[in-house]
Amino acid sequence: MRLILLGPPGAGKGTQAKNLVDKHGIIQLSTGDLLRAAAAAGTPVGKRAKEIMARGELVPDDVVVAIVAERIAQPDAKNGFILDGFPRTVPQAEALDRMLHQRGLDLDAVIELKMDEDALLKRIQNRVAEMKARGEAVRADDTPEALHKRLEAYRVQTAPLIAFYSDKGTLRSVDGMAGIAEVAKAIDQLLAAAQPSRAADQRAAERRSTGR
Ligand code: ADP
């Protein structure tokens, strides 16, 4: 199964991705996590990305596309993957299309977590307050200014992907404002509904390839 989770910062993409990984035996690929790991390791890519991320801006497309291409070519990605935080721009989505096409693969669904912006800000502020209370390190881009930029980057650069995938017929939307368990259930339901048509598509492809 190959899925994309789409939604603004704080929508709960990472939480839902982890649920899906456990249920479907697929890998989670979070470009945010991979970039933070590269920054912590001080690799050339990480150094370049670190400052950009702290400002709340997007890292250049070529950098993230290379990171994703490398990751999905690894053996543990063969059952599928869930992309969280990628694609984030239309050129990234086009690059992903090309990568999948070259491997003869398709996306099963793009799941949009629909959110209301005021609630997002509150969620992220709560997350930061809870992390501080536990004495954990807070992300460099969880400051009010960086957060403002992240939301703007989402509105301007990422939200157009909703029309992009809607035109392709792969977009499914769920209410991201509901509780974690309810959102997980809504995602399960839409994936179950998508299965019969996938099975039918596979049978049709087999018939075509065997000429029957
Ligand atoms: P959030 O979903 O809360 O915005 P992420 O962990 O997904 O957080 O991303 C954090 C930062 O990493 C982004 O603000 C951006 O700078 C960088 N980043 C992550 N994914 C991408 C991407 N696909 N393209 C460009 N930059 C990215």
Side-chain angles (χ1 to χ4, degrees), residues 9-10 13 31-33 35-36 52-53 56-59 64 85-86 88 92 127 139 141 150:
K13 298 184 295 288
T31 41
D33 288 348
L35 289 168
R36 278 187 290 276
I52 303 175
M53 288 192 286
E57 292 166 12
L58 294 189
V59 172
V64 275
F86 180 91
R88 240 180 174 93
Q92 289 179 15
R127 181 170 82 187
R139 271 169 49 171
D141 59 352
R150 280 157 64 199

Coordinates of all heavy atoms in Angstrom, one line a residue, residues 9-10 13 31-33 35-36 52-53 56-59 64 85-86 88 92 127 139 141 150, ligand 1:
P9 N 0.8 21.8 9.2 CA 1.6 21.4 10.4 C 0.6 21.3 11.6 O -0.3 22.1 11.7 CB 2.5 22.6 10.7 CG 2.3 23.6 9.6 CD 1.3 23.1 8.6
G10 N 0.8 20.3 12.4 CA 0.0 20.1 13.6 C -1.3 19.3 13.3 O -2.1 19.1 14.2
K13 N -0.4 14.2 11.2 CA 0.0 13.3 10.2 C 0.9 12.2 10.8 O 0.8 11.1 10.5 CB 0.8 14.1 9.1 CG -0.1 15.1 8.4 CD 0.7 15.7 7.2 CE 1.9 16.5 7.6 NZ 1.5 17.8 8.2
T31 N 9.7 13.3 5.8 CA 10.9 14.1 5.3 C 11.3 15.0 6.4 O 12.5 15.3 6.5 CB 10.5 14.9 4.0 OG1 9.2 15.5 4.1 CG2 10.6 14.1 2.8
G32 N 10.4 15.5 7.3 CA 10.8 16.3 8.4 C 11.8 15.6 9.3 O 12.8 16.1 9.7
D33 N 11.4 14.3 9.7 CA 12.3 13.5 10.5 C 13.6 13.2 9.9 O 14.7 13.3 10.5 CB 11.6 12.1 10.8 CG 10.5 12.2 11.8 OD1 10.3 13.3 12.4 OD2 9.7 11.2 11.9
L35 N 15.1 15.0 7.6 CA 15.9 16.3 7.5 C 16.5 16.6 8.9 O 17.6 17.1 9.0 CB 15.1 17.4 7.0 CG 14.7 17.3 5.5 CD1 13.7 18.4 5.1 CD2 16.0 17.6 4.6
R36 N 15.7 16.4 9.9 CA 16.2 16.7 11.3 C 17.3 15.8 11.7 O 18.3 16.2 12.3 CB 15.0 16.6 12.3 CG 14.2 17.9 12.4 CD 13.2 17.9 13.5 NE 12.1 16.9 13.3 CZ 11.0 17.2 12.6 NH1 10.9 18.4 12.0 NH2 10.1 16.3 12.4
I52 N 17.2 26.7 7.2 CA 16.0 26.8 6.4 C 14.8 26.3 7.3 O 13.8 27.0 7.4 CB 16.0 26.1 5.1 CG1 17.2 26.5 4.2 CG2 14.7 26.2 4.3 CD1 17.4 25.7 3.0
M53 N 15.0 25.2 7.9 CA 13.9 24.6 8.7 C 13.6 25.5 9.9 O 12.4 25.7 10.2 CB 14.3 23.2 9.2 CG 14.3 22.2 8.1 SD 14.4 20.5 8.7 CE 16.1 20.5 9.2
G56 N 11.3 28.1 9.3 CA 9.9 27.6 8.9 C 9.7 27.6 7.4 O 8.6 27.5 6.9
E57 N 10.8 27.8 6.6 CA 10.7 27.8 5.2 C 10.9 26.4 4.7 O 11.3 25.5 5.4 CB 11.7 28.7 4.6 CG 11.4 30.2 4.9 CD 12.6 31.1 4.6 OE1 13.6 30.6 3.9 OE2 12.5 32.2 5.1
L58 N 10.6 26.2 3.4 CA 10.7 24.8 2.8 C 12.2 24.6 2.3 O 12.7 25.5 1.7 CB 9.7 24.6 1.7 CG 8.3 24.5 2.0 CD1 7.5 24.1 0.8 CD2 8.0 23.6 3.2
V59 N 12.7 23.5 2.5 CA 14.0 23.1 2.0 C 13.8 22.9 0.4 O 12.7 22.5 0.0 CB 14.4 21.7 2.7 CG1 15.6 21.1 2.1 CG2 14.5 22.0 4.2
V64 N 14.9 17.4 -1.0 CA 14.0 16.4 -0.4 C 13.6 15.3 -1.4 O 13.5 14.1 -1.0 CB 12.6 17.0 0.1 CG1 12.8 17.5 1.5 CG2 12.1 18.1 -0.8
G85 N 4.6 14.5 5.1 CA 5.4 15.7 4.9 C 6.0 15.8 3.5 O 6.8 16.7 3.2
F86 N 5.7 14.9 2.7 CA 6.1 14.9 1.3 C 5.1 14.2 0.4 O 4.5 13.2 0.8 CB 7.4 14.1 1.1 CG 8.0 14.0 -0.3 CD1 8.9 15.0 -0.7 CD2 7.5 13.0 -1.2 CE1 9.4 14.9 -2.0 CE2 8.0 13.0 -2.5 CZ 8.9 14.0 -2.9
R88 N 5.4 18.3 -0.8 CA 4.9 19.6 -0.1 C 4.8 20.7 -1.2 O 4.4 21.8 -0.8 CB 6.0 20.0 0.9 CG 5.4 20.1 2.3 CD 6.6 20.5 3.2 NE 6.3 20.8 4.5 CZ 6.3 19.9 5.5 NH1 6.6 18.7 5.3 NH2 6.1 20.3 6.7
Q92 N 7.4 18.7 -6.3 CA 7.7 17.5 -5.6 C 6.7 16.4 -6.0 O 7.1 15.2 -6.1 CB 7.7 17.7 -4.1 CG 8.9 18.5 -3.6 CD 8.8 18.8 -2.1 OE1 8.1 18.1 -1.3 NE2 9.6 19.7 -1.6
R127 N 1.2 21.4 22.4 CA 2.3 20.4 22.3 C 3.6 20.9 22.8 O 4.3 20.2 23.5 CB 2.4 20.0 20.8 CG 3.5 19.0 20.5 CD 3.4 18.5 19.0 NE 4.1 19.4 18.1 CZ 4.0 19.3 16.8 NH1 3.3 18.3 16.2 NH2 4.7 20.1 16.0
R139 N 11.3 21.7 19.2 CA 11.8 21.9 17.9 C 12.2 23.4 17.6 O 11.4 24.3 18.0 CB 10.8 21.4 16.8 CG 11.0 20.0 16.5 CD 9.8 19.4 15.7 NE 9.4 20.3 14.6 CZ 8.6 19.9 13.7 NH1 8.0 18.7 13.8 NH2 8.2 20.6 12.7
D141 N 11.7 25.0 15.1 CA 10.7 25.7 14.3 C 9.3 25.7 15.0 O 8.3 26.0 14.4 CB 10.6 25.1 12.9 CG 10.2 23.6 12.9 OD1 10.2 23.0 14.0 OD2 10.0 23.1 11.8
R150 N 5.4 28.5 8.7 CA 5.1 27.1 8.2 C 3.7 27.0 7.7 O 3.4 26.4 6.7 CB 5.3 26.1 9.4 CG 6.8 25.7 9.6 CD 7.1 25.2 11.0 NE 6.4 24.0 11.3 CZ 6.1 23.6 12.6 NH1 6.6 24.3 13.6 NH2 5.5 22.5 12.8
Ligands
ADP1 P1 5.3 20.0 10.1 O1 4.5 19.0 9.5 O2 4.9 20.2 11.6 O3 5.5 21.3 9.4 P2 7.7 18.5 9.4 O4 8.5 17.7 10.5 O5 7.0 17.7 8.4 O6 6.8 19.4 10.3 O7 8.7 19.5 8.6 C1 9.6 20.4 9.3 C2 10.3 21.3 8.3 O8 11.2 20.4 7.5 C3 9.5 22.0 7.3 O9 9.1 23.3 7.8 C4 10.5 22.2 6.1 O10 11.5 23.2 6.4 C5 11.3 20.9 6.1 N1 10.6 19.9 5.2 C6 10.0 18.8 5.6 N2 9.5 18.2 4.5 C7 9.8 19.0 3.4 C8 9.5 18.9 2.0 N3 8.8 17.8 1.5 N4 9.9 19.9 1.2 C9 10.6 20.9 1.7 N5 10.9 21.1 3.0 C10 10.5 20.1 3.9

